[in-house]
Amino acid sequence: MTLTTYTDTSSDSIAKFNRQMIVILDFGSQYSELIARRIRETQVYSEVISYRTTAAKLATLNPKGIILSGGPNSVYDKRAPHCDPEIWNLGIPILGVCYGMQLMVQQLGGEVKYAQLAEYGKASLLINDSRNLLTHLEEGTTMWMSHGDSVTKMPPGFELLAHTYNTPCAAIANHEKKLYGTQFHPEVVHSIEGQTLIQNFVYHICKCKPTWTTEVFIEEVIREIRAKVGDKRVLLALSGGVDSSTLAFLLHQAIGDQLTCMFIDQGFMRKYEPENLVKIFHESFHISVEYVNARDRFLAKLKGVTDPEQKRKLIGHEFITVFEEESKRLGPFDYLAQGTLYPDVIESADTNVDPKTGERVAVKIKSHHNVGGLPKDLRFKLVEPLRKLFKDEVRNVGRSIGLPEEIVRRHPFPGPGLAIRILGEVTNKRLKILRDADFVVRDEIQQQGMYHNFWQAFAVLLPIRSVGVMGDQRTYAYPIVLRFVSSEDGMTADWFRVPYGLLESISNRIVNEVKGVNRVVYDITSKPPGTIEWE
């Protein structure tokens, strides 16, 4: 498994916001980001950094606590990742989770071996010592296990906190040194009282206070923007999604008319969205938006194209071309604002550093299209005020600064838009059919008060036609696929068990109101094995 790429911990990303901070050392776990989110839910700041970070570097960050994540390796493997053993001497409370606990045991003189009885899934936690870490947890509470190795001998000074039927050492502690370990994953939703355990670690063991709030973030980030930008101009590629819209509001509060928002209409947005977006920003919030109508040129680029990857690349390349032309027309600009979020910082290495200034410079417009990069000779300094936030935190910021709820809770929408919800060639006729069908879907779920029940709910147009009958006439028309899913983060998703009445209403309206459609079907595939989008 490839380990995560990290932001530079010496940068300003760990600066003003961590008067109190919990650091997560990542050993390649799929849940490292989730641990950080759970810490943030306690209103304490957290960051994920590399397991290679030295104890000396950690000391300069001055965290209130350290969490060692899980990971795919066995600690006794020759190439298993190990942390700097000096961290045990920092005097900072440490919690090891799964692999992190096993590494703690191994480095402090205990033993970890291949388990005779592995444990995967839900397990009942049998508590031996409810002090500190396990305070207020109920006997027999369900925790999520995922391990093939087990601790067979605890290090000197450690005591047993809990066990399960298959795992003799499910939780351990050295109370004196404030070192704790859990074989289970308290951060996952399947661990019923996992968040209680995390709160025990954060509040009672690390003595943190809940100071990481939306209000504090907004105050400090506005000061940060003003200090960085000064009197210079900033360009933002606006998409209408929650990230770029929240960013626009924040920047406008910070620097007013020094901000220029550019909205490139590539012709693949949903019905009425471009008009509503410009109207909301212009009329309701007095934020100027430069509207660029590029529908014809984008559609021309896709003529005859059926391969989904080629579609994405062509749309991305054309977006960059239009962006470059328009930024030169409207400029000059010193800064480019991007809606980079914290998961992007953790997972992406798509950044360059200007050798002269040390500033990060843009190679990708992540806030708009997630496709392709800007030309290297089109150089801006970056303003990324949201790069410390997870998606749910961005929504909270949006609400706090007055972003309309229709934008704050808008379903995720792909950068290439409807172009990748039309399988096969994209034409004006197919766009109109899908746009009208998609409008029916959104209108019905809003009317029935179910819009926020779904992670995403949308229509897909298939490039085939089937026989139908309307009145006394035979029809030969397109099918529409309905795709409704539930998800927490889009990484996995399950198809939604939609009430039959809603499906019936949507189907009736589509075949009656959308010319060119005579059949509606429902996609019941989860992710994996399918993806949420069809292309």
Side-chain angles (χ1 to χ4, degrees):
M1 179 176 179
T2 302
L3 290 175
T4 308
T5 301
Y6 303 87
T7 183
D8 180 1
T9 55
S10 65
S11 73
D12 196 43
S13 70
I14 304 179
K16 300 181 181 68
F17 297 97
N18 44 330
R19 300 180 186 93
Q20 297 184 116
M21 175 174 66
I22 303 292
V23 163
I24 297 98
L25 294 187
D26 180 31
F27 292 89
S29 171
Q30 60 181 319
Y31 300 133
S32 294
E33 183 182 309
L34 184 55
I35 297 173
R37 287 174 60 189
R38 294 291 180 252
I39 301 295
R40 300 275 186 96
E41 287 172 12
T42 70
Q43 294 190 317
V44 172
Y45 186 67
S46 63
E47 286 222 12
V48 179
I49 64 177
S50 171
Y51 73 91
R52 296 186 180 93
T53 305
T54 65
K57 180 62 183 177
L58 281 168
T60 66
L61 299 177
N62 195 29
K64 299 284 283 185
I66 298 169
I67 296 179
L68 310 185
S69 82
N73 300 91
S74 293
V75 292
Y76 46 75
D77 289 345
K78 288 183 179 179
R79 296 186 179 180
H82 287 186
C83 61
D84 183 348
E86 286 300 313
I87 73 167
W88 313 114
N89 301 319
L90 289 174
I92 298 171
I94 298 175
L95 171 63
V97 175
C98 197
Y99 178 88
M101 167 177 145
Q102 294 171 4
L103 183 62
M104 178 187 291
V105 167
Q106 184 196 59
Q107 290 192 334
L108 292 177
E111 290 182 355
V112 178
K113 293 183 178 179
Y114 179 76
Q116 293 290 334
L117 294 173
E119 200 165 28
Y120 297 93
K122 296 177 181 179
S124 294
L125 192 68
L126 307 173
I127 298 174
N128 300 77
D129 180 352
S130 61
R131 287 179 293 162
N132 298 324
L133 191 67
L134 304 186
T135 300
H136 303 308
L137 267 68
E138 292 186 7
E139 175 72 10
T141 188
T142 297
M143 292 295 178
W144 186 260
M145 289 285 191
S146 181
H147 67 102
D149 297 330
S150 285
V151 173
T152 55
K153 178 185 174 183
M154 288 188 291
F158 277 75
E159 302 173 35
L160 183 66
L161 298 186
H163 64 282
T164 70
Y165 294 114
N166 281 8
T167 304
C169 293
I172 61 174
N174 184 322
H175 292 295
E176 183 182 348
K177 294 187 176 181
K178 296 187 177 180
L179 304 179
Y180 299 87
T182 64
Q183 187 58 71
F184 52 86
H185 288 271
E187 69 275 18
V188 303
V189 69
H190 309 292
S191 291
I192 303 303
E193 294 183 282
Q195 191 64 6
T196 300
L197 184 151
I198 288 171
Q199 288 174 347
N200 287 338
F201 181 71
V202 171
Y203 293 146
H204 305 308
I205 296 170
C206 299
K207 307 299 183 185
C208 291
K209 303 293 182 186
T211 57
W212 172 249
T213 65
T214 301
E215 293 70 27
V216 167
F217 171 80
I218 292 170
E219 254 179 60
E220 299 214 27
V221 82
I222 285 177
R223 282 201 297 270
E224 192 178 80
I225 292 166
R226 288 171 178 165
K228 182 171 187 175
V229 171
D231 61 356
K232 305 298 185 183
R233 297 182 68 201
V234 178
L235 177 63
L236 167 64
L238 187 66
S239 70
V242 63
D243 301 340
S244 68
S245 298
T246 299
L247 181 54
F249 269 53
L250 261 181
L251 288 166
H252 191 257
Q253 282 194 19
I255 58 174
D257 291 341
Q258 291 169 240
L259 170 68
T260 298
C261 293
M262 182 199 301
F263 173 64
I264 299 173
D265 183 358
Q266 80 304 47
F268 308 135
M269 297 290 283
R270 291 175 286 204
K271 195 169 187 176
Y272 305 131
E273 276 196 329
E275 300 87 346
N276 288 341
L277 175 69
V278 174
K279 184 177 179 180
I280 287 172
F281 274 77
H282 270 310
E283 296 183 9
S284 301
F285 302 104
H286 309 293
I287 300 176
S288 179
V289 178
E290 291 288 339
Y291 173 79
V292 179
N293 186 342
R295 295 181 181 186
D296 291 342
R297 57 190 292 177
F298 274 88
L299 194 59
K301 287 290 180 182
L302 296 187
K303 186 175 178 59
V305 177
T306 59
D307 180 73
E309 275 307 300
Q310 192 178 0
K311 281 186 195 177
R312 288 179 179 273
K313 288 177 181 177
L314 288 170
I315 292 169
H317 183 270
E318 190 62 18
F319 176 80
I320 292 163
T321 302
V322 175
F323 182 86
E324 183 176 15
E325 292 171 5
E326 296 299 320
S327 63
K328 287 178 179 177
R329 177 179 68 85
L330 298 168
F333 297 97
D334 295 277
Y335 289 92
L336 173 68
Q338 289 196 150
T340 308
L341 303 190
Y342 190 50
D344 301 322
V345 175
I346 296 174
E347 296 167 6
S348 175
D350 292 321
T351 58
N352 285 334
V353 176
D354 188 311
K356 294 181 180 178
T357 66
E359 291 272 9
R360 293 181 66 245
V361 293
V363 296
K364 183 173 286 190
I365 299 191
K366 300 177 75 71
S367 62
H368 190 86
H369 275 278
N370 295 314
V371 281
L374 289 172
K376 290 184 178 179
D377 60 349
L378 186 65
R379 302 179 71 84
F380 299 90
K381 296 174 184 176
L382 283 184
V383 181
E384 298 174 302
L386 306 181
R387 71 192 313 268
K388 302 175 181 75
L389 302 185
F390 289 104
K391 190 79 169 186
D392 54 335
E393 294 173 317
V394 174
R395 294 187 195 278
N396 290 337
V397 169
R399 285 191 183 94
S400 295
I401 59 177
L403 199 64
E405 198 67 15
E406 64 189 271
I407 296 178
V408 169
R409 300 186 70 181
R410 177 182 186 255
H411 288 178
F413 188 63
L418 299 180
I420 59 166
R421 290 180 178 173
I422 296 172
L423 275 64
E425 184 181 6
V426 180
T427 65
N428 261 325
K429 179 181 177 181
R430 290 178 176 179
L431 274 169
K432 184 179 186 318
I433 291 172
L434 181 57
R435 193 173 279 122
D436 288 344
D438 178 84
F439 176 78
V440 169
V441 171
R442 289 186 293 128
D443 189 49
E444 276 295 319
I445 62 177
Q446 284 169 343
Q447 282 190 41
Q448 299 198 29
M450 294 191 66
Y451 182 86
H452 301 304
N453 290 26
F454 313 111
W455 172 263
Q456 282 177 262
F458 58 90
V460 175
L461 177 68
L462 300 185
I464 57 174
R465 289 188 288 176
S466 66
V467 174
V469 59
M470 290 182 177
D472 294 326
Q473 293 186 332
R474 176 182 180 275
T475 61
Y476 193 53
Y478 292 107
I480 288 290
V481 179
L482 303 181
R483 180 73 161 142
F484 294 3
V485 298
S486 58
S487 179
E488 284 196 357
D489 53 15
M491 299 301 293
T492 61
D494 192 16
W495 63 277
F496 200 95
R497 278 64 173 172
V498 180
Y500 291 157
L502 177 60
L503 289 176
E504 183 180 25
S505 297
I506 291 172
S507 177
N508 285 343
R509 282 192 59 185
I510 287 176
V511 296
N512 281 295
E513 297 175 21
V514 182
K515 187 177 180 180
V517 175
N518 65 356
R519 193 178 298 274
V520 178
V521 300
Y522 189 60
D523 182 350
I524 59 169
T525 313
S526 296
K527 175 187 178 180
T531 54
I532 295 177
E533 300 289 345
W534 274 52
E535 287 196 341

